[in-house]
Amino acid sequence: DVKVTQSSRYLVKRTGEKVFLECVQDMDHENMFWYRQDPGLGLRLIYFSYDVKMKEKGDIPEGYSVSREKKERFSLILESASTNQTSMYLCASSTRDRGRSPLHFGNGTRLTVT
Amino acid sequence: DAKTTQPPSMDCAEGRAANLPCNHSTISGNEYVYWYRQIHSQGPQYIIHGLKNNETNEMASLIITEDRKSSTLILPHATLRDTAVYYCTIGSGGTSYGKLTFGQGTILTVHP
C-alpha cells in the first residue's frame, strides 16, 4: 500500500514564526500536492510538484512556499506564520499517469498559529 | 477544471445500499470522475474512479451516465463505518498532472 507520511499530526506555532511541514511518500510517485482544509471551504490546493525541483502554484499559494529536493519528500513552508493559516494541511501523491492515477493522502497536520 | 455539485447530506440505514449522486455537467472528454471519502480526523481515502464506463471494486460501484454529466457512487451494503464525507471530483491528464479540485462533499450518515 502507498504510504504518505506527514511529520506531525498537531503543531502549535506563534505568529511570525517560520514553519516547515514535511511530507514523505514511499511509492516513487512523481506528483506531490499540498492542500489545506477548512470548515465550509473544503480542500484547497496550495502548491503541487510534478518532479524534483519543480513546483506549480495551486489555487491559494499566497503566504506559502514549497521545496522538493528529493523525489520522495515535499515540504510546505510558511515563511511568517499568521493566524489565518491555522488549518488542517494535507499532503498527497500520485503517479504521472496522464491524470488517471488517484491521489493518496496523508493523515494531515493540524496547525494552530497563535 | 470542471466543477461538481453534490447534496450536502444523506442518510442511509445499515445494510441498505447508499447511492450518492454527483453532477458534473461541464466535464470534458478527457476528464475522469473520482470519488474519495474522509472519515473524521483522517486524510481523504480514494474509493474509485472512471472515465465513461461503469466501474466496480471491492469498496463500491460507480455509475456514469451516458452523457457523462452525472454519476452515482453506490455502497452496496452500507455499514456504520461508512459514515463519512464523500467527495466527487474531476481530474484530467496532460499539463494538469492529476490536479484535483474538491468541493464540499456529501456527509453520509449510516444509521443502525
Side-chain angles (χ1 to χ4, degrees):
Chain A
D1 275 354
V2 175
K3 192 159 185 182
V4 178
T5 304
Q6 295 185 230
S7 53
S8 306
R9 284 302 302 268
Y10 300 94
L11 212 52
V12 179
K13 296 292 182 180
R14 295 195 179 275
T15 301
E17 277 193 80
K18 189 168 186 176
V19 181
F20 292 86
L21 302 184
E22 306 287 345
C23 175
V24 177
Q25 50 93 4
D26 65 359
M27 284 301 292
D28 204 35
H29 283 173
E30 292 85 2
N31 303 329
M32 296 189 75
F33 306 81
W34 275 106
Y35 288 84
R36 65 176 281 178
Q37 184 174 30
D38 302 286
L41 296 175
L43 282 83
R44 294 179 291 168
L45 182 64
I46 305 171
Y47 266 97
F48 65 103
S49 168
Y50 52 88
D51 204 346
V52 175
K53 297 192 184 296
M54 306 302 288
K55 61 184 179 184
E56 292 279 343
K57 292 180 179 179
D59 300 318
I60 51 163
E62 297 78 19
Y64 303 94
S65 62
V66 289
S67 172
R68 184 120 182 248
E69 296 296 318
K70 293 185 178 182
K71 190 174 185 180
E72 68 270 19
R73 187 179 296 270
F74 192 35
S75 302
L76 180 69
I77 303 155
L78 287 66
E79 296 288 342
S80 177
S82 63
T83 54
N84 63 12
Q85 292 178 310
T86 291
S87 186
M88 169 70 87
Y89 290 88
L90 290 159
C91 175
S93 71
S94 70
T95 62
R96 192 183 304 155
D97 185 18
R98 295 187 61 81
R100 293 176 293 213
S101 170
L103 297 182
H104 299 270
F105 283 87
N107 277 330
T109 296
R110 187 166 294 281
L111 172 68
T112 302
V113 182
T114 62
Chain B
D1 290 335
K3 186 177 175 180
T4 60
T5 304
Q6 299 176 253
S9 63
M10 294 183 65
D11 290 334
C12 178
E14 189 177 19
R16 305 297 290 268
N19 297 285
L20 291 88
C22 180
N23 286 321
H24 31 79
S25 58
T26 59
I27 192 170
S28 60
N30 65 345
E31 289 183 313
Y32 286 73
V33 181
Y34 293 83
W35 282 84
Y36 292 79
R37 73 179 183 185
Q38 187 174 24
I39 297 169
H40 182 63
S41 80
Q42 296 183 17
Q45 176 192 23
Y46 164 76
I47 301 173
I48 198 167
H49 73 287
L51 183 62
K52 53 185 177 181
N53 297 322
N54 298 337
E55 302 287 344
T56 295
N57 63 21
E58 64 279 4
M59 291 182 68
S61 294
L62 174 61
I63 308 297
I64 302 173
T65 58
E66 193 169 342
D67 62 8
R68 302 206 328 120
K69 292 185 178 182
S70 66
S71 61
T72 301
L73 178 76
I74 301 172
L75 307 178
H77 305 287
T79 70
L80 299 179
R81 287 182 294 180
D82 291 323
T83 293
V85 181
Y86 286 77
Y87 296 100
C88 165
T89 181
I90 305 297
S92 65
T95 59
S96 66
Y97 297 102
K99 181 167 70 83
L100 297 180
T101 300
F102 288 81
Q104 298 295 311
T106 296
I107 300 171
L108 174 68
T109 304
V110 181
H111 298 285

